Amino acid sequence: MGMVTFVDETTSGDRGAGWGLEIAEERLALRELIRRRVFQEVAEFNARTPEVFQGLVQPNDTERVLNGYALRTPRRIDPEAQTELALKAFAGNGFLVLVGDRQFTDLDEEIELKLGTEVTFLKLVALVGG
Amino acid sequence: MRSHTQKIRNQIDAGNMGRLADEVLKAAVANHGFWGDEWSELFDTLRNLPVEERRRLAHALIERFRSLGTEPETRQKVLTLLGIVARDLPDDFFLPTERLAELETLGARHSYWHATRLDLLAEAELATGRRLAPSVVAVFRRTALVAYRSEHLVELVKKLTTPVLNVGEAWADHAMEQLTGSDDDPWQALLLHALTATASKPSAKWDKQAQALIDSIGADRVRETALSWLALVGRPRTIPLERQTYEPDINNAYDPYNANALRGLAWLLSLLPPHPDTARALGALVETSLKKVAGMGPRNPKVANAGVIALSRVDSEAALAELARLATRVTYKNTAKLLDVALEARATALGLSREEIEELAVPAYGLTEVGRALHRLGDVTALIEVHGTKSVLGWRNAAGKEVKSVPAAVKRDHADELKELKAAAKDIDKMLSAQAERLDRQFLARRTWAYDAWRERYIDHPLVGTLARRLLWTVDGRPVGFADGELRTLTDDPVTTGSEVELWHPVGREPAEIVAWRDWLERHEITQPFKQAHREVYLLTDAERATGTYSNRFAAHVLRQHQFNSLAAIRGWRNKLRLCVDDSAPPATRELPQWGLRAEYWIEGDGEEYGEDTTESGSYLRLRTDQVRFYPIDAPENSAHCYGGEYSMWLRDGQDPVEPLPLTGIPPLALSEVLRDVDLFVGVASVGNDPTWQDGGPGGRFQEYWSGYSFGELNQSAETRRALLDRLIPRLAIADRCTLEGRFLHVKGERHTYKIHLGSGNILMTPNDQYLCIVPKSATTPQTGYLPYEGDRTLAVILSKAMMLAKDTEITDPTILSQL
């Protein structure tokens, strides 16, 4: 049982204020860690349903705005669908996950979660040939 | 106006001078300082009134003047009217103090609007037998030259014979100090004759009179004196002028009246026996006259052209060298054309091609071997050596020991030779940079030289040799460089003969060869005068094959227009400065006559706020960029509205439109060099380089562009990025494949090592610095799974590219694969 801090690091060197999430297990696969994070932020969103969703990945049928994604119609977001999107994004280099000082690249790799572990999500950009 | 005129006429007929004064003043207030044609007739009527009536009218006007207070406009109008009606009346009718004050104010101006008829004040002043102050004379002379249809001004200026030149410019003031003031002063006659140089070329008659004047003074004295004047041209004005709203930067412009004298002096110098000092001074005059002035453009193209005409009339090596030097430097179209004609004419006379004349025109400036010359001055030796693109003057005393400063004996006994040596060193510097630029342009000139002529004009030429020996060439197809006194191949085998020589270019060479030559240069400690072995190579990308007839590689940038404009000119492009007005302009174009091609870079003005998006004179501060295209060189011109919009061809006399050429058909060398130019424009002139634009510039419009872009030397934002990467990379899975070196993040892949620029995120591939085009997916396609970007998008791009390229065997995107 431990508190894990999630930090969204942007590439301007700013770090979002970390937010904590209680994790009961001491070890967790990366896939599960991402799922927990997504479930948590979707749950918080659905509790308040503001116009803008600020989360790891873009929900379907939303528009990007400066500080998140605006929902075209106010609604609840499905956490399962959102998790699928997040895992797909991870597979396609949509974001990196650093736990402590190490990058994890394999979704099935078990991560040891000590007390005060910091998990950093770093977002990337989609590329094409020009 | 018509009703005013009628009322005035009614009062004249009634003989009521008080009412007449009222009506005239009313009409004058209504004319906003524009005394048009109807006024000329009225003026005549007023002039022809009987003296007694005019006296009464003048009194009435003065009365009203006193009661009207001191609005400058009204003052001017009353003074003007008094100038008409009171010309032959005693002086006190004129408000003489007020008029003098008015004229004095005028003396601080560059010129005035001729329709305000201030000439009447001057006429009135002259009628009293007094003279106008020199600064006031200057204003009327300048106005007469720039005004439109103003016979009365021309008449007035004819009466203003002193001073000979306009005061207020350093050179003119200095020239007038020479004058004795007597009527038979030959210098005065010479200046007066110089002032008549208003044509584009001197006539035989003009030359003849000039020659007579030269003979009366003596050629050497004329040269020395005139050159001492010319040396002061372009100095700050001795009497600064008050710049009015919307006026160009008059304090950096030439006085248009004195400019005629400068033209005359340039012509006059070309009649003297040739002398290196003359050629130097004329060359400098051309360059000084083409310096740009805000709101005006080149200072005075007429004077510059006179300088070129003069140089082309002097039959000396020094003059030809100046012409050749200017031809590589001057970008102002009109003068560049004249230079072209002058060089062509010289070439035809000698039976040579234009390129050859430019090659032969390069003097050795006293250098006796490549990059070196020894001169004995008494028992001291002066040594001129070329290091890179600079010459260094050194000294050895009688004992052969090197000394730092100029020995006293030289200053004492050889002052003239010393002056000449210093001048030669300056000439060498100027010529070296001009020649380096000319050689850089030879890549696209498709030149081949005969081996022997090439050795003489390039490799063994005392001045050009210092550059040519640091470049790579091909002799009969074999690449060679110059090391240890010989042309050598990659394996250092000497090459001593051959028949055909060309300049080496990395396009189409094997990467291994390019790298080998870079090592070779390093091994022989050769620094190239410009990038040749390390020249960036731009090959066609798949995206460009897909778009077919245009390249979007350099589209969607925001460039500073004025910087872009001068850069484009330096690189041999033609571009028209875009104004925020209802006009259209062709794209920036570069003609490649040797290839029968015309390259175009499509641009449009950005924004529409006067003063915010434009300069004071209404030219756009910024441009937005679009496609690069190629057309046959004789295709009709494209143009687009300055505000933006579609480019279209301007078809004359039933011409058919010409399609842009498919990029696949453009020779790789031409394509590479053109794209390299465009990359340079973007790299240098992009607003992304301006650290003060962090807020996104006007209205924050460029926020995203700015933060997504910076180039060239790493600016503060890129330095920050670097520090961030330094912290980040060790934590990444690809850490062992990444190193930060200088301005680049090096990523070791399986196929290549990639260098990602920390400023722009652009990629060059080792070994041959080939540009690898990978871009972020456009924001218009939905990107499921990507966060909006807060922060440094470029860093994200760099990281994303690094992640991708570290595993370059896993890339599946065909548009990227085809480039690897």
Side-chain angles (χ1 to χ4, degrees):
Chain A
M1 163 86 199
M3 189 64 122
V4 172
T5 315
F6 285 86
V7 182
D8 284 358
E9 187 152 355
T10 70
T11 42
S12 59
D14 297 339
R15 294 155 57 93
W19 45 284
L21 183 65
E22 292 215 356
I23 308 257
E25 299 84 340
E26 284 181 4
R27 303 176 68 81
L28 210 53
L30 176 58
R31 183 191 308 278
E32 185 59 22
L33 191 70
I34 294 173
R35 202 182 73 85
R36 300 254 180 129
R37 169 190 165 147
V38 173
F39 265 72
Q40 177 68 20
E41 67 194 14
V42 169
E44 282 177 21
F45 173 82
N46 287 342
R48 292 177 299 120
T49 53
E51 283 171 19
V52 176
F53 173 70
Q54 294 171 309
L56 182 62
V57 288
Q58 178 170 7
N60 290 323
D61 197 34
T62 55
E63 256 175 302
R64 285 159 150 237
V65 290
L66 194 59
N67 52 353
Y69 307 100
L71 277 71
R72 292 203 174 87
T73 47
R75 58 187 164 92
R76 293 170 66 87
I77 291 175
D78 172 13
E80 286 295 349
Q82 202 57 18
T83 305
E84 277 311 301
L85 287 175
L87 294 173
K88 217 163 91 186
F90 182 83
N93 267 351
F95 58 91
L96 309 177
V97 178
L98 305 165
V99 180
D101 263 355
R102 193 177 140 226
Q103 180 189 352
F104 282 77
T105 50
D106 182 358
L107 282 172
D108 298 316
E109 193 170 350
E110 294 262 337
I111 301 171
E112 206 170 314
L113 298 170
K114 296 196 204 71
L115 192 65
T117 300
E118 195 172 87
V119 182
T120 309
F121 290 78
L122 189 76
K123 303 133 203 172
L124 296 176
V125 182
L127 299 169
V128 291
Chain B
M1 181 68 207
R2 190 159 306 152
S3 65
H4 283 302
T5 317
Q6 200 45 58
K7 284 179 186 160
I8 292 168
R9 296 231 178 263
N10 293 346
Q11 296 305 338
I12 292 175
D13 294 341
N16 187 339
M17 289 304 131
R19 297 288 298 282
L20 175 59
D22 288 336
E23 290 301 338
V24 170
L25 275 178
K26 265 188 215 162
V29 168
N31 76 9
H32 295 296
F34 178 67
W35 306 84
D37 286 349
E38 299 97 332
W39 280 102
S40 307
E41 286 172 41
L42 274 181
F43 284 165
D44 287 339
T45 318
L46 293 174
R47 266 197 204 101
N48 295 330
L49 289 175
V51 169
E52 198 39 47
E53 292 201 341
R54 282 190 285 122
R55 185 193 304 273
R56 280 192 291 131
L57 178 56
H59 271 303
L61 283 169
I62 291 167
E63 242 169 72
R64 279 150 190 74
F65 177 85
R66 303 260 186 245
S67 61
L68 275 169
T70 48
E71 266 186 56
E73 262 201 54
T74 327
R75 287 172 56 126
Q76 260 192 20
K77 283 166 184 169
V78 175
L79 289 167
T80 304
L81 289 166
L82 283 174
I84 296 283
V85 300
R87 183 164 305 184
D88 47 358
L89 299 175
D91 199 18
D92 50 346
F93 274 104
F94 286 125
L95 305 167
T97 5
E98 286 82 353
R99 192 181 55 230
L100 265 179
E102 198 59 48
L103 286 168
E104 199 172 320
T105 320
L106 186 64
R109 299 269 310 268
H110 175 270
S111 50
Y112 66 91
W113 188 34
H114 69 99
T116 51
R117 294 306 307 268
L118 295 176
D119 57 297
L120 291 165
L121 272 60
E123 292 282 8
E125 183 68 14
L126 291 174
T128 65
R130 286 192 294 265
R131 278 189 179 173
L132 299 180
S135 63
V136 180
V137 170
V139 178
F140 284 113
R141 281 172 172 173
R142 288 193 289 261
T143 307
L145 282 172
V146 295
Y148 168 69
R149 282 194 325 168
S150 52
E151 295 82 4
H152 45 266
L153 258 175
V154 177
E155 285 307 305
L156 167 66
V157 167
K158 274 188 193 150
K159 297 177 200 161
L160 307 174
T161 51
T162 54
V164 177
L165 299 173
N166 274 356
V167 291
E169 287 189 321
W171 85 265
D173 295 354
H174 176 64
M176 288 192 286
E177 282 165 15
Q178 303 251 309
L179 304 180
T180 58
S182 74
D183 285 342
D184 56 359
D185 179 6
W187 288 111
Q188 173 154 327
L190 186 133
L191 281 174
L192 285 171
H193 187 57
L195 278 167
T196 62
T198 51
S200 62
K201 277 200 179 88
S203 64
K205 189 175 151 219
W206 192 97
D207 278 347
K208 205 173 134 199
Q209 284 175 318
Q211 194 60 59
L213 287 164
I214 293 169
D215 295 339
S216 73
I217 299 174
D220 282 350
R221 264 193 74 201
V222 169
R223 189 188 63 247
E224 282 159 29
T225 312
L227 291 191
S228 78
W229 299 344
L230 288 191
L232 299 176
V233 172
R235 289 274 177 94
R237 282 186 62 89
T238 52
I239 306 174
L241 298 168
E242 284 169 17
R243 193 172 167 185
Q244 312 291 311
T245 323
Y246 301 124
E247 227 174 18
D249 184 2
I250 42 179
N251 283 314
N252 279 311
Y254 286 179
D255 183 306
Y257 185 81
N258 290 351
N260 284 338
L262 283 177
R263 293 163 82 189
L265 286 174
W267 293 353
L268 206 114
L269 285 170
S270 67
L271 295 168
L272 302 171
H275 190 287
D277 286 349
T278 311
R280 240 175 243 147
L282 287 170
L285 180 69
V286 173
E287 285 188 296
T288 313
S289 307
L290 289 177
K291 284 236 166 67
K292 289 200 174 166
V293 172
M296 199 174 213
R299 253 190 200 143
N300 199 311
K302 283 181 175 175
V303 174
N305 292 352
V308 174
I309 296 280
L311 280 169
S312 66
R313 300 206 307 163
V314 178
D315 186 16
S316 78
E317 206 177 89
L320 181 57
E322 267 318 308
L323 286 172
R325 185 181 70 82
L326 290 169
T328 64
R329 307 281 301 171
V330 169
T331 56
Y332 181 69
K333 205 169 157 188
N334 199 322
T335 310
K337 240 193 213 143
L338 264 187
L339 283 163
D340 222 34
V341 169
L343 286 167
E344 285 284 358
R346 200 56 72 87
T348 316
L350 297 170
L352 298 165
S353 75
R354 165 64 205 274
E355 284 97 354
E356 284 177 300
I357 196 83
E358 276 193 48
E359 281 163 10
L360 289 172
V362 187
Y365 294 118
L367 296 173
T368 43
E369 50 197 297
V370 175
R372 219 163 158 271
L374 290 169
H375 297 272
R376 309 255 337 155
L377 304 177
D379 51 12
V380 176
T381 311
L383 173 72
I384 292 192
E385 271 187 317
V386 175
H387 297 289
T389 48
K390 282 268 170 286
S391 59
V392 180
L393 186 55
W395 301 93
R396 291 202 194 126
N397 63 15
K401 200 169 146 289
E402 284 199 26
V403 286
K404 281 223 174 82
S405 52
V406 185
V410 173
K411 284 187 186 164
R412 193 182 56 233
D413 307 331
H414 304 278
D416 284 353
E417 285 115 311
L418 178 63
K419 208 174 111 210
E420 187 52 42
L421 271 180
K422 282 187 172 162
K426 264 209 191 104
D427 285 343
I428 290 172
D429 291 358
K430 275 195 195 161
M431 193 48 118
L432 278 170
S433 64
Q435 287 303 315
E437 272 170 40
R438 185 173 73 84
L439 283 164
D440 195 11
R441 286 202 282 245
Q442 295 295 308
F443 286 117
L444 280 175
R446 304 182 94 168
R447 290 289 308 279
T448 34
W449 293 269
Y451 180 83
D452 293 338
W454 168 75
R455 281 225 60 137
E456 182 189 339
R457 291 177 210 166
Y458 285 87
I459 291 291
D460 299 331
H461 186 284
L463 185 131
V464 185
T466 61
L467 303 166
R469 288 181 176 190
R470 293 186 285 133
L471 291 170
L472 302 173
W473 305 82
T474 61
V475 176
D476 298 336
R478 266 189 312 175
V480 296
F482 191 95
D484 307 324
E486 291 279 10
L487 290 168
R488 296 179 189 278
T489 62
L490 207 42
T491 48
D492 284 8
D493 304 327
V495 173
T496 49
T497 56
S499 50
E500 275 208 340
V501 182
E502 284 178 326
L503 194 57
W504 181 94
H505 190 284
V507 153
R509 303 264 164 200
E510 286 299 321
E513 184 196 328
I514 297 171
V515 176
W517 276 113
R518 288 181 188 176
D519 295 343
W520 185 92
L521 288 167
E522 208 166 307
R523 192 169 73 237
H524 292 288
E525 293 176 354
I526 294 170
T527 317
Q528 297 206 291
F530 47 84
K531 277 187 183 178
Q532 186 189 21
H534 291 81
R535 206 169 183 82
E536 303 81 357
V537 174
Y538 297 78
L539 302 174
L540 207 58
T541 63
D542 267 21
E544 281 156 350
R545 283 192 192 92
T547 52
T549 52
Y550 60 88
S551 161
N552 266 339
R553 212 187 289 195
F554 301 103
H557 284 282
V558 182
L559 309 184
R560 286 185 290 262
Q561 161 158 259
H562 294 79
Q563 197 177 11
F564 166 77
N565 194 46
S566 9
L567 260 179
I570 288 166
R571 299 294 305 170
W573 290 65
R574 267 191 307 119
N575 181 48
K576 200 173 136 184
L577 214 54
R578 277 159 169 72
L579 298 172
C580 187
V581 293
D582 185 9
D583 189 13
S584 59
T589 55
R590 179 163 184 187
E591 297 199 337
L592 309 170
Q594 289 87 351
W595 308 77
L597 293 174
R598 180 176 83 210
E600 299 192 347
Y601 190 24
W602 286 12
I603 47 182
E604 61 182 45
D606 173 78
E608 51 201 16
E609 274 312 301
Y610 173 83
E612 174 104 331
D613 297 316
T614 71
T615 61
E616 281 218 325
S617 50
S619 55
Y620 282 106
L621 286 169
R622 289 170 291 276
L623 297 171
R624 290 188 172 277
T625 70
D626 198 356
Q627 308 172 357
V628 176
R629 296 182 168 214
F630 288 84
Y631 285 90
I633 196 162
D634 52 5
E637 191 173 70
N638 280 309
S639 63
H641 205 280
C642 296
Y643 294 146
E646 284 292 299
Y647 272 91
S648 58
M649 261 191 192
W650 203 45
L651 304 170
R652 275 172 256 198
D653 330 319
Q655 272 176 308
D656 289 324
V658 176
E659 292 302 312
L661 297 164
L663 297 179
T664 46
I666 306 299
L669 173 66
L671 180 85
S672 184
E673 285 297 307
V674 164
L675 292 182
R676 184 173 181 268
D677 278 353
V678 178
D679 196 7
L680 170 90
F681 303 153
V682 172
V684 174
S686 162
V687 297
N689 298 322
D690 188 343
T692 61
W693 275 48
Q694 200 155 0
D695 59 356
R701 268 187 304 151
F702 305 99
Q703 178 77 52
E704 195 174 342
Y705 176 72
W706 186 90
S707 51
Y709 184 93
S710 48
F711 209 113
E713 288 305 316
L714 296 190
N715 57 21
Q716 206 43 53
S717 71
E719 289 292 356
T720 315
R721 199 171 293 145
R722 204 195 145 106
L724 257 164
L725 281 166
D726 217 10
R727 195 171 55 105
L728 245 173
I729 286 170
R731 302 159 68 190
L732 299 181
I734 57 166
D736 57 336
R737 292 183 163 271
C738 296
T739 44
L740 275 171
E741 284 181 36
R743 288 180 290 169
F744 292 93
L745 169 63
H746 290 230
V747 180
K748 210 170 146 347
E750 292 302 320
R751 300 156 182 263
H752 302 272
T753 296
Y754 305 89
K755 302 192 322 196
I756 309 176
H757 190 275
L758 300 176
S760 61
N762 285 347
I763 311 164
L764 299 170
M765 289 192 282
T766 57
N768 58 344
D769 276 7
Q770 191 179 318
Y771 181 91
L772 170 60
C773 199
I774 299 178
V775 292
K777 249 188 200 153
S778 68
T780 49
T781 53
Q783 291 183 40
T784 328
Y786 286 93
L787 275 179
Y789 243 87
E790 60 269 280
D792 184 352
R793 185 180 157 92
T794 306
L795 181 54
V797 170
I798 292 172
L799 269 177
S800 309
K801 286 179 175 179
M803 302 286 294
M804 177 190 261
L805 295 169
K807 298 180 181 165
D808 55 1
T809 47
E810 295 174 22
I811 294 173
T812 52
D813 183 344
T815 56
I816 298 174
L817 278 180
S818 62
Q819 298 180 68
L820 300 180

